[in-house]
Amino acid sequence: MGLRNPFKKQAAVQNVPEPPGREEPEAEQLAFAVPNSNRSLWGGGLVRGLNPERLAHILDTVRQGETPAEYLEIAQELEQRDAHYRSVLSTRKHAVEGLEMFVQGAGDAEADKDIAAAVEEDILGHADLMDLRKNALDALGKGFSVNEIIWDTSGKRWKPKTFLFRDPRWFAYDRDSGDLRLREPLGIGLIPLEEFRFIVHEPNLLAGMQITGGLSFTALLYWLIKNYDVTSWAAFADRFGYPVRLGKYGRKATKEDIATLKRAVAAIGSDVGAVIPDSMVLEIIESTTTGTNALVYRELAEWVDKELSKLVLGQTASAEGTPGALGGQPGQEEVRQDICRADALQFDQTINRDLVIPYVKFNFGEQAVYPKIKTKLVESKNVQMIADAVSKLVPVGLKVRQAEMLTLLNLSAPAEDDEILKQPAAPAGMMGFNAAEHRISLNAGEAAEAADPDPLDPGEEADGFTAISDEIAAVLDKALDKATDFKSFEKELETLAAAWPADKIAELLAVATFKARVKGMEEFDA
């Protein structure tokens, strides 16, 4: 059965005729569905009657080394029934699914490059690879996942034809060896998984037994608490959500009068109106504590959701939908970076062990080192913080590669004929309020070095302008650091000069005259 003599093909490496006797893998599936058996396609409904005693019994059975199909079925129903758990678990899966993958060759030799190119074409470029990764990540909830490889042996190279996801209920761990095996359709026996036919993903989320490491093993308890809470909440709303209708009749009321009052009390809930004799009274009493009591149910449900978010995502901010930075904590992402990185690396390990290495062995023979498929891990960066730092440090001499900034901003380098955005040119004769540039000029106490000296340089004598002392320059330096426009510049100057003596005020007037002259030139040129 299955793949026999998988290492006989050496022709691609040795350039010799392919040795005879290589037997092709059988095309039929090994893990197939059998109606009305241990490998049935259908199931469900176990959650409906789940109670604490039954769940405790199932979980204890798992801890004792068994792999009951009931546990795996309830774990699947949990994802189907609880919207919050499904959402956060999908978010964790999508964080890995959205990452780019690439092939890392075994070396720089031509043979190594040829093997890497084949892996990239036949595996990394496979149309079903995304589905394989998605289905493999089902192991996050249940502790393991199995995909069967259907090999295509019709061409020169053996390559995967497709990958078939297999129901986890069809598998169980052998208590003696701890290996995952296929259940016999009829009976209690377990069949060893044939080599090179299955991709078995077993993420190491928790030390110990693999089956207890799945997120569902912990999530089921929280879900049961939430299920009881929401059920009681619904019953509470049904019972106390409507006001109490109270009918009163006098001592002289007849049986017919009382029957009429009962009908009126019953009708007022649906018909919003009723007819009663004038000797009777119908009161509607609304509870003043119902809303407060209902908050207990909501707070418990929200607490459970937060615990599930911490279990799956490692944080609660993104699941709560807090506006702005995630929960006010800029370091939090939708999935914690360490968790996403670990999930991606463990999937890489699985696909290389169960798919890449067998593929290379079939087509190129045994290798000392095999190529690897890897996930491109991109560390999150605070783009705003980096951009602000660069804008402040470049004017004082920091050298930054333009290509790195384009990559950071996810922008491409402009072509020669492209229209390029530019900073608007300042009107002729206007002093640009670039704090960094003016700070350098003023602290140095000398004019900027340029082909055409700036006629408005505050460090030089110019027609109609007053020379500025070093002390005034220091004040301007501080004001320019904080100013964003002329008004803020003026306000900063007033603040800094508030405690000056008269002679300093006189010098400040010279500065004000200078500023007014520049302002006037700006408006005139505009």
Side-chain angles (χ1 to χ4, degrees):
M1 294 287 292
L3 296 172
R4 303 184 183 91
N5 303 324
F7 312 133
K8 287 188 176 182
K9 184 174 181 181
Q10 305 290 335
V13 176
Q14 302 176 358
N15 295 320
V16 297
E18 184 175 311
R22 184 180 77 164
E23 300 181 29
E24 295 185 354
E26 298 179 7
E28 70 270 10
Q29 303 173 21
L30 299 181
F32 49 85
V34 178
N36 303 317
S37 72
N38 291 329
R39 301 214 299 257
S40 174
L41 285 173
W42 311 110
L46 294 179
V47 169
R48 187 179 303 110
L50 192 64
N51 55 47
E53 293 79 11
R54 187 181 179 193
L55 178 61
H57 172 72
I58 293 174
L59 297 182
D60 286 341
T61 304
V62 175
R63 291 190 187 96
Q64 294 167 9
E66 300 290 343
T67 314
E70 291 81 3
Y71 165 71
L72 297 169
E73 188 165 328
I74 291 174
Q76 180 63 31
E77 285 195 62
L78 173 61
E79 297 182 32
Q80 297 171 346
R81 289 174 176 265
D82 190 279
H84 184 81
Y85 179 71
R86 178 174 180 174
S87 173
V88 293
L89 187 58
S90 296
T91 298
R92 179 162 172 177
K93 294 176 182 178
H94 295 336
V96 178
E97 294 166 13
L99 297 176
E100 185 180 349
M101 305 181 74
F102 65 96
V103 176
Q104 183 183 73
D108 295 329
E110 287 300 322
D112 294 332
K113 293 180 180 179
D114 291 340
I115 295 174
V119 171
E120 184 169 1
E121 178 181 352
D122 294 339
I123 296 181
L124 193 61
H126 197 288
D128 297 335
L129 184 63
M130 178 62 72
D131 291 338
L132 170 64
R133 184 157 58 165
K134 181 186 294 290
N135 293 331
L137 291 173
D138 186 65
L140 295 175
K142 304 175 182 66
F144 71 91
S145 66
V146 181
N147 286 268
E148 184 173 353
I149 309 171
I150 304 300
W151 291 94
D152 179 8
T153 61
S154 60
K156 182 178 180 181
R157 290 200 304 252
W158 288 7
K159 61 184 72 175
K161 182 178 181 180
T162 189
F163 312 102
L164 300 176
F165 175 73
R166 296 312 188 189
D167 194 320
R169 296 175 302 163
W170 299 357
F171 301 86
Y173 283 95
D174 181 70
R175 294 191 62 179
D176 297 328
S177 65
D179 296 333
L180 189 67
R181 296 186 174 180
L182 180 65
R183 297 182 192 270
E184 289 183 350
L186 305 173
I188 59 175
L190 299 176
I191 305 170
L193 299 183
E194 191 167 310
E195 196 174 19
F196 311 126
R197 292 298 297 268
F198 296 95
I199 299 174
V200 181
H201 186 45
E202 297 173 303
N204 187 8
L205 304 181
L206 184 68
M209 293 186 298
Q210 183 64 37
I211 188 65
T212 61
L215 299 174
S216 296
F217 195 83
T218 304
L220 277 168
L221 175 61
Y222 287 104
W223 178 84
L224 190 63
I225 295 173
K226 180 180 175 181
N227 185 54
Y228 273 91
D229 172 69
V230 173
T231 301
S232 301
W233 191 1
F236 178 88
D238 182 64
R239 179 172 297 179
F240 300 104
Y242 298 99
V244 177
R245 301 178 295 274
L246 180 64
K248 298 180 180 180
Y249 57 88
R251 295 183 179 181
K252 297 181 179 181
T254 64
K255 292 183 177 180
E256 293 182 358
D257 294 337
I258 296 174
T260 300
L261 183 60
K262 285 183 177 181
R263 289 193 299 270
V265 170
I268 197 69
S270 56
D271 298 340
V272 195
V275 177
I276 58 175
D278 57 1
S279 60
M280 298 180 181
V281 177
L282 196 155
E283 296 182 0
I284 298 178
I285 304 174
E286 295 192 19
S287 174
T288 59
T289 61
T290 300
T292 303
N293 295 336
L295 289 177
V296 176
Y297 296 104
R298 186 176 72 181
E299 290 173 356
L300 180 57
E302 290 176 349
W303 174 81
V304 170
D305 284 346
K306 289 181 179 179
E307 293 301 299
L308 291 175
S309 296
K310 287 188 285 186
L311 170 68
V312 179
L313 302 180
Q315 47 85 16
T316 61
S318 62
E320 297 304 311
T322 306
L326 297 178
Q329 304 175 48
Q332 295 195 46
E333 304 293 338
E334 290 194 2
V335 182
R336 255 176 36 195
Q337 287 297 306
D338 57 333
I339 294 177
C340 181
R341 181 183 180 88
D343 289 343
L345 292 177
Q346 292 189 48
F347 173 76
D348 293 350
Q349 182 180 8
T350 296
I351 195 174
N352 286 306
R353 180 196 64 214
D354 293 346
L355 182 58
V356 174
I357 291 179
Y359 169 84
V360 173
K361 287 181 176 180
F362 291 158
N363 296 289
F364 302 95
E366 291 274 13
Q367 304 292 316
V369 181
Y370 291 89
K372 295 180 180 179
I373 288 181
K374 288 190 171 184
T375 299
K376 186 179 295 185
L377 299 171
V378 181
E379 299 293 339
S380 68
K381 298 180 180 179
N382 191 324
V383 177
Q384 183 64 46
M385 181 180 67
I386 296 175
D388 290 344
V390 169
S391 65
K392 293 178 180 179
L393 296 176
V394 166
V396 296
L398 178 68
K399 296 182 178 180
V400 179
R401 294 177 57 193
Q402 180 177 333
E404 291 184 2
M405 292 303 298
L406 289 174
T407 301
L408 177 67
L409 299 173
N410 197 23
L411 299 175
S412 59
E416 184 177 354
D417 298 332
D418 289 342
E419 293 186 9
I420 301 175
L421 296 177
K422 297 180 180 179
Q423 180 179 359
M430 173 186 175
M431 183 180 77
F433 275 84
N434 186 319
E437 292 178 359
H438 284 277
R439 178 167 58 252
I440 296 171
S441 175
L442 292 170
N443 288 342
E446 58 185 15
E449 296 181 0
D452 297 321
D454 186 354
L456 300 183
D457 191 325
E460 294 183 352
E461 290 284 354
D463 293 340
F465 295 104
T466 305
I468 297 177
S469 67
D470 291 340
E471 191 173 0
I472 296 294
V475 174
L476 288 173
D477 183 19
K478 294 180 181 179
L480 285 168
D481 278 340
K482 298 181 180 179
T484 58
D485 52 26
F486 280 107
K487 289 186 178 180
S488 61
F489 179 56
E490 184 177 8
K491 184 177 180 181
E492 291 297 329
L493 285 177
E494 292 175 354
T495 302
L496 292 172
W500 280 17
D503 59 335
K504 298 298 181 184
I505 296 295
E507 289 184 293
L508 183 61
L509 289 174
V511 175
T513 303
F514 172 81
K515 181 177 70 69
R517 176 71 176 273
V518 174
K519 178 66 175 176
M521 292 176 64
E522 176 198 4
E523 294 179 353
F524 178 78
D525 292 337

